[in-house]
Amino acid sequence: MIEQLRRQLSESVAYIRGRCTVRPQVAIVLGSGLGEAVAGLQAEASISYADIPHFPVSTVEGHAGRLLLGTWAGKQVAVLSGRFHYYEGYSMQQVVYPIRVVRRLGAELILITNASGGLNPDIHTGELMVVCDHINLVSDHPLRGPNDEELGPRFPDQHAVYDRALMEAALAVAKQQGIRLHQGVYVGVPGPTFETPAEYRFLRLIGGDAVGMSTVPEVIAAHHMGMRILCISVITDEGTTAVPQRVTHEEVVKAAQQAAPLMMKLMEGVLESIE
Ligand code: HPA
């Protein structure tokens, strides 16, 4: 199993390196509706996931399924435009496969974005939240099974998964640019149902500020491999309003699209700030 994963990763990386000379230092994962958040990237290559050996193929609406490689703010960057969600039926190993590939490509730092439901009543639709911690409520786990010590340790510590310096950088950029940026705890759920009103209240009670169906497995895998992580959520709906509100995927994507320019400014500023 370990040998097979190593071989697959090597083949994916060899294919990508054969298509382009970019050697990414930073990886970016784009959430639903956030394609425009990387409009500042000078792309040198745009590779369909379907062409990369061993990559799963993405199916969900609002996800393009392409790996973009290029330069942005003077950094060599790999962008995963389209992600694999557990609710689509992928295994956890498939969900985190692209994260392992970008790490093998050389990325040491990862900026993960997502669309999520607001739990904290002070955080409103269209606003951004930098994730300072998470609660994993997805029962399956990306690190279950034999552990490859070459990737990371068997029992990874989780006391500081999100990089403090990157969070500070994001907060500084937000302040400078006049962007309202909250800090909070992201609760990862499997989906694909949105939450019932009672579930939203429960997730708020246990300490969540936002809830979403992605990110946590990716973060666990990235941290396992020693990557520095910054995660920014766009709040696309509010789960704990006095009168429960209907949530639709279309509204989630629309709210994320509207927030994409803010996300772009924030990411650009963070990229400029790193060495
Ligand atoms: N719940 C779970 N996932 C989500 C939500 C939500 O309200 N909004 C966007 N992704």
Side-chain angles (χ1 to χ4, degrees):
M1 232 173 138
I2 291 175
E3 284 307 319
Q4 188 192 16
L5 177 61
R6 284 186 191 168
R7 184 178 48 75
Q8 290 181 340
L9 288 170
S10 301
E11 287 171 8
S12 299
V13 166
Y15 175 81
I16 295 161
R17 289 196 170 147
R19 293 262 321 247
C20 146
T21 57
V22 173
R23 296 292 174 261
Q25 165 192 6
V26 179
I28 295 175
V29 182
L30 291 180
S32 311
L34 287 168
E36 284 303 308
V38 293
L41 178 81
Q42 302 269 329
E44 209 178 280
S46 167
I47 305 174
S48 167
Y49 286 172
D51 293 337
I52 306 175
H54 313 299
F55 244 60
V57 177
S58 90
T59 61
V60 78
E61 269 176 67
H63 290 260
R66 300 191 80 81
L67 173 67
L68 315 175
L69 292 136
T71 313
W72 188 8
K75 307 293 178 307
Q76 303 216 32
V77 178
V79 178
L80 291 163
S81 178
R83 57 152 54 102
F84 302 99
H85 299 86
Y86 188 60
Y87 62 73
E88 292 175 87
Y90 299 108
S91 69
M92 275 295 178
Q93 282 65 33
Q94 289 177 304
V95 167
V96 302
Y97 188 79
I99 309 297
R100 290 178 166 158
V101 169
V102 292
R103 176 75 184 108
R104 280 287 172 93
L105 279 171
E108 290 172 352
L109 209 146
I110 189 160
L111 312 185
I112 297 182
T113 64
N114 62 52
S116 61
L119 300 171
N120 180 334
D122 297 334
I123 310 183
H124 298 291
T125 298
E127 293 181 343
L128 303 182
M129 181 186 97
V130 59
V131 176
C132 56
D133 204 351
H134 71 229
I135 299 173
N136 181 15
L137 294 187
V138 188
S139 59
D140 201 347
H141 200 288
L143 305 182
R144 180 169 178 265
N147 183 59
D148 184 352
E149 292 287 325
E150 244 180 47
L151 288 177
R154 171 74 289 184
F155 298 109
D157 168 74
Q158 304 283 282
H159 92 281
V161 174
Y162 299 89
D163 190 272
R164 193 76 231 169
L166 290 176
M167 275 178 59
E168 298 292 349
L171 290 164
V173 172
K175 195 168 175 198
Q176 201 180 31
Q177 301 269 350
I179 300 170
R180 194 165 155 81
L181 180 62
H182 301 273
Q183 294 182 58
V185 173
Y186 176 95
V187 185
V189 293
T193 42
F194 291 114
E195 288 65 34
T196 64
E199 286 167 344
Y200 282 117
R201 287 196 301 273
F202 165 73
L203 298 176
R204 177 64 186 149
L205 268 175
I206 63 168
D209 294 293
V211 53
M213 305 173 196
S214 65
T215 300
V216 167
E218 297 162 3
V219 163
I220 289 172
H223 185 62
H224 181 235
M225 297 182 292
M227 299 179 89
R228 292 178 63 200
I229 300 167
L230 175 68
C231 176
I232 300 173
S233 300
V234 181
I235 305 303
T236 57
D237 52 276
E238 294 173 38
T240 54
T241 47
V243 179
Q245 307 283 314
R246 191 182 162 77
V247 190
T248 67
H249 179 64
E250 291 67 35
E251 281 161 6
V252 165
V253 172
K254 196 168 151 215
Q257 281 169 342
Q258 283 170 355
L262 288 185
M263 186 68 94
M264 167 157 147
K265 275 195 204 168
L266 205 54
M267 288 203 289
E268 189 158 83
V270 170
L271 285 173
E272 278 164 1
S273 77
I274 58 187
E275 295 297 305

